[in-house]
Amino acid sequence: MEEVIREESVRLPRLGEKAPEFEAVTTQGKLKLSDFKGSWLILFSHPADFTPVCTTEFIGFAEIYDELQKRNVHLMGLSIDSVYSHISWVRNIEEKFGIKIPFPVIADLNKEVAKLYGMIMPGESKTETSRCVFLIDPEGILRAMIYYPLTTGRNMDEILRIIDALQTTDKHHVATPANWRPGDKVIVPPPATQEAAEERLKQGFECKDWYFCKKKMEG
Ligand code: BEZ
């Protein structure tokens, strides 16, 4: 008889939808997603405490913490480890690397939050969360998701870059081109009608054609 492989059905969160609400035990006490309403939140998972790649990532997140705060962005980690393990690991990072971990870390022992966000990739590991990053805006909408494999540490510059790009998009109603960095020209969203296309070419933007216009950001 054909073998039936049953996988727990998980509905992955999707961009543009409300991020799933949760309440969780963290290294800074019980926290809910809704506690962060009005601020951006980066919710990220790591495979396990006391592992080397994750340690470099925690140091990386601590190093961009001040830059995130300037942008009204909170940070919260998660793994399927106990709060005692988290406490012991962050104390070890401080002792061995001289870096204090300023953000809370969820102890998701029953995998409740991990399942809600689809952080477990059974093909990679059935017992650990993958390296997921969820960017949630001040209205609680999921704006970006990044997934890295177990063996690849995340790029903190890219995470900051996406925050900068999303905040620029929201504030100025523009889009950002490949490899955009703050200060670079931005993309004027393409016109939706023939008339708007004609107008677009008269508006003083730097256009290659009616659909491809850039402009400098003021301020
Ligand atoms: C690490 O963080 O070093 C690691 C964790 C899980 C698998 C491979 C590496």
Side-chain angles (χ1 to χ4, degrees), residues 47-48 51-55 128 131 150-151:
T51 50
V53 178
C54 301
T55 301
E128 297 165 316
R131 299 183 197 282
L150 288 179
T151 48

Side-chain angles (χ1 to χ4, degrees), residues 115-185:
K115 283 183 190 164
L116 268 181
Y117 281 79
M119 292 168 168
I120 299 169
M121 312 275 167
E124 276 207 305
S125 171
K126 291 187 172 58
T127 55
E128 297 165 316
T129 40
S130 290
R131 299 183 197 282
C132 308
V133 186
F134 298 92
L135 272 53
I136 301 169
D137 76 12
E139 302 303 319
I141 303 295
L142 189 52
R143 299 292 297 277
M145 295 186 274
I146 328 175
Y147 298 88
Y148 286 70
L150 288 179
T151 48
T152 307
R154 283 164 274 210
N155 184 313
M156 303 302 151
D157 287 342
E158 174 61 359
I159 291 169
L160 265 183
R161 195 188 77 90
I162 301 177
I163 288 284
D164 283 334
L166 284 170
Q167 292 187 345
T168 299
T169 292
D170 286 358
K171 191 167 173 195
H172 301 282
H173 308 289
V174 293
T176 52
N179 300 320
W180 175 87
R181 293 253 159 213
D184 290 353
K185 289 172 194 155

Side-chain angles (χ1 to χ4, degrees), residues 23-207:
E23 183 176 63
V25 171
T26 84
T27 47
Q28 296 181 7
K30 271 198 180 165
L31 288 171
K32 301 194 289 290
L33 176 63
S34 50
D35 293 336
F36 297 91
K37 196 161 167 41
S39 306
W40 287 78
L41 174 68
I42 297 175
L43 172 65
F44 72 94
S45 57
H46 66 277
D49 296 349
F50 292 101
T51 50
V53 178
C54 301
T55 301
T56 63
E57 290 186 319
F58 262 49
I59 292 169
F61 279 119
E63 284 170 347
I64 62 166
Y65 186 77
D66 287 349
E67 285 302 315
L68 291 172
Q69 285 220 308
K70 284 184 205 161
R71 293 161 173 78
N72 188 29
V73 183
H74 288 274
L75 193 55
M76 187 152 55
L78 176 150
S79 74
I80 304 166
D81 290 290
S82 71
V83 79
Y84 303 112
S85 169
H86 287 336
I87 291 169
S88 178
W89 184 39
V90 299
R91 286 173 63 88
N92 183 264
I93 292 174
E94 187 168 358
E95 187 189 318
K96 302 292 178 192
F97 297 90
I99 302 282
K100 197 170 182 70
I101 301 302
F103 50 84
V105 188
I106 296 176
D108 198 28
L109 275 177
N110 58 12
K111 305 183 188 168
E112 251 176 47
V113 183
K115 283 183 190 164
L116 268 181
Y117 281 79
M119 292 168 168
I120 299 169
M121 312 275 167
E124 276 207 305
S125 171
K126 291 187 172 58
T127 55
E128 297 165 316
T129 40
S130 290
R131 299 183 197 282
C132 308
V133 186
F134 298 92
L135 272 53
I136 301 169
D137 76 12
E139 302 303 319
I141 303 295
L142 189 52
R143 299 292 297 277
M145 295 186 274
I146 328 175
Y147 298 88
Y148 286 70
L150 288 179
T151 48
T152 307
R154 283 164 274 210
N155 184 313
M156 303 302 151
D157 287 342
E158 174 61 359
I159 291 169
L160 265 183
R161 195 188 77 90
I162 301 177
I163 288 284
D164 283 334
L166 284 170
Q167 292 187 345
T168 299
T169 292
D170 286 358
K171 191 167 173 195
H172 301 282
H173 308 289
V174 293
T176 52
N179 300 320
W180 175 87
R181 293 253 159 213
D184 290 353
K185 289 172 194 155
V186 293
I187 299 272
V188 187
T193 64
Q194 205 173 339
E195 192 187 349
E198 306 240 329
E199 273 306 302
R200 172 59 50 86
L201 294 170
K202 299 178 203 152
Q203 284 169 322
F205 300 132
E206 293 173 34
C207 296

